[in-house]
Structure formats: structure tokens, C-alpha cells
């Protein structure tokens, strides 16, 4: 997987890089507006494929017990808002509202940014997919007993709170 990952990443990074050069018009203007759209599509598609490759590699590392977290200070509200932007259109189509509340004392945590975002993407994706139309999905972060508690709460079918002892994902502060 590591060799395959390298072989796929190298051309994808080149595609993304060339798309960036064209997007910024570093070598001259793109005369046709449609070309600008295509360049943005190429960049987005390349970035998406690169992320998929990284996820596959991460899964193989996890299975092998060799996944290392890169812990760093992470701004909770800013990070969650960036993930919520990915679901704005999907939530509108599903007829659900997204709400975020981060308490000031839960603003910064130490976490692996990519893993944190992936966790949020998985939780919010499921919430949007299964929440009944006309309901609210609430994402909250608060400090509880020295830990930051992150909750993604919806009214979908999900796992009953009696099984999980409440809708919780607790993150070390």
C-alpha cells in the first residue's frame, strides 16, 4: 500500500500543482471562463482523490497498529465550521438545520487535525443522512470534568442513548 500510495500521490500532486498554476493564471490569463471552471474541477477532483488515498493508507496503518497521531493545538469552532461548510448543501436538500455551539473554554484542544476532521465528517454525514426532515443537528463542544466533550446530536434512528450512555465523544483537552 505504501508503494501504491507513493505511485498515485506523485502524479496527483503534479496535477494539483499544475491546476494551481493555471488557476492563479501565473503564466498568463485564461481567456475562456469555462477553462477556469474546468481547472477548479480538476483541482478539486485531484484533491479528493489524494484524500481518498490518504484515508486508505491510514486504514492500513491502523490495521497494522502503526498509525501515529500528530497532536497539535486545534481551534475547535473554526475546524467544525470548515467541516459544516461541506454539508451545507446536503443539509438543505435533506431539510435539516445545522447548529454549532462551542463554549469559550472548549475553544482549543490538542488533536490530530486530519483525524479530528474525518471523525466529524463521518458523524455529521450520518446525522444528515438519518435525521428526519425539519429537525436540527446540533454540534456542541463543552468542558466536562477536565475533558472537552464534543457532541453531534440529531433525531435520527442511530444508536439508542441507552447503549452508548448518551451521545458522547470525549476528547482530551
Amino acid at each position: 500500500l505504501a508503494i501504491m500510495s507513493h505511485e498515485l500521490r506523485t502524479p496527483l500532486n503534479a496535477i494539483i500543482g499544475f491546476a494551481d498554476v493555471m488557476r492563479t493564471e501565473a503564466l498568463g490569463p485564461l481567456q475562456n471562463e469555462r477553462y477556469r471552471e474546468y481547472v477548479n474541477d480538476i483541482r478539486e477532483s485531484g484533491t479528493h482523490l489524494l484524500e481518498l488515498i490518504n484515508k486508505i493508507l491510514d486504514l492500513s496503518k491502523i490495521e497494522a497498529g502503526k498509525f501515529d497521531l500528530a497532536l497539535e493545538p486545534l481551534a475547535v469552532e473554526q475546524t467544525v465550521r470548515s467541516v459544516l461548510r461541506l454539508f451545507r448543501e446536503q443539509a438543505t436538500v435533506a431539510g435539516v438545520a445545522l447548529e454549532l455551539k462551542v463554549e469559550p473554554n472548549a475553544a482549543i484542544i490538542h488533536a490530530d487535525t486530519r483525524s479530528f476532521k474525518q471523525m466529524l465528517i463521518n458523524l455529521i454525514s450520518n446525522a444528515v443522512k438519518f435525521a428526519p426532515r425539519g429537525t436540527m443537528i446540533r454540534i456542541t463542544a463543552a468542558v466536562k470534568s477536565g475533558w472537552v466533550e464534543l457532541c453531534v446530536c440529531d433525531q435520527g434512528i442511530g444508536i439508542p442513548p441507552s447503549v452508548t450512555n448518551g451521545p458522547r465523544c470525549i476528547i482530551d483537552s
Side-chain angles (χ1 to χ4, degrees):
L1 278 174
I3 292 168
M4 180 190 75
S5 170
H6 174 74
E7 293 300 319
L8 291 171
R9 281 180 183 174
T10 301
L12 274 175
N13 281 322
I15 291 167
I16 293 166
F18 291 139
D20 281 340
V21 168
M22 293 171 69
R23 195 168 55 126
T24 61
E25 300 182 30
L27 301 176
L30 292 174
Q31 300 297 326
N32 189 315
E33 182 60 33
R34 199 164 221 174
Y35 285 153
R36 285 188 192 92
E37 291 174 22
Y38 290 161
V39 166
N40 286 327
D41 290 346
I42 291 167
R43 187 185 193 293
E44 282 183 30
S45 297
T47 302
H48 178 69
L49 285 173
L50 192 57
E51 288 172 2
L52 288 175
I53 292 166
N54 287 335
K55 287 176 190 176
I56 292 169
L57 193 57
D58 286 347
L59 286 173
S60 68
K61 287 179 183 178
I62 289 168
E63 287 179 358
K66 296 182 180 191
F67 185 76
D68 295 320
L69 297 174
L71 300 179
E72 59 189 355
L74 182 138
V76 174
E77 186 167 356
Q78 178 184 345
T79 305
V80 175
R81 284 195 190 285
S82 74
V83 170
L84 287 177
R85 279 192 290 277
L86 301 173
F87 291 97
R88 189 176 295 140
E89 181 69 26
Q90 190 177 351
T92 300
V93 169
V96 296
L98 301 171
E99 178 184 88
L100 172 62
K101 182 180 179 197
V102 177
E103 291 184 1
N105 58 351
I108 303 291
I109 62 172
H110 283 72
D112 181 279
T113 302
R114 199 158 50 94
S115 297
F116 183 82
K117 282 183 175 181
Q118 187 60 54
M119 175 193 67
L120 279 173
I121 288 168
N122 293 347
L123 291 170
I124 295 169
S125 174
N126 283 339
V128 169
K129 192 182 307 179
F130 295 109
R133 181 170 284 286
T135 61
M136 173 82 66
I137 297 169
R138 286 184 180 83
I139 299 95
T140 60
V143 173
K144 305 266 175 111
S145 304
W147 295 78
V148 173
E149 180 181 77
L150 179 74
C151 295
V152 177
C153 302
D154 65 80
Q155 297 174 11
I157 55 173
I159 301 170
S162 60
V163 173
T164 62
N165 196 19
R168 293 201 178 128
C169 174
I170 299 180
I171 299 166
D172 185 2
S173 58

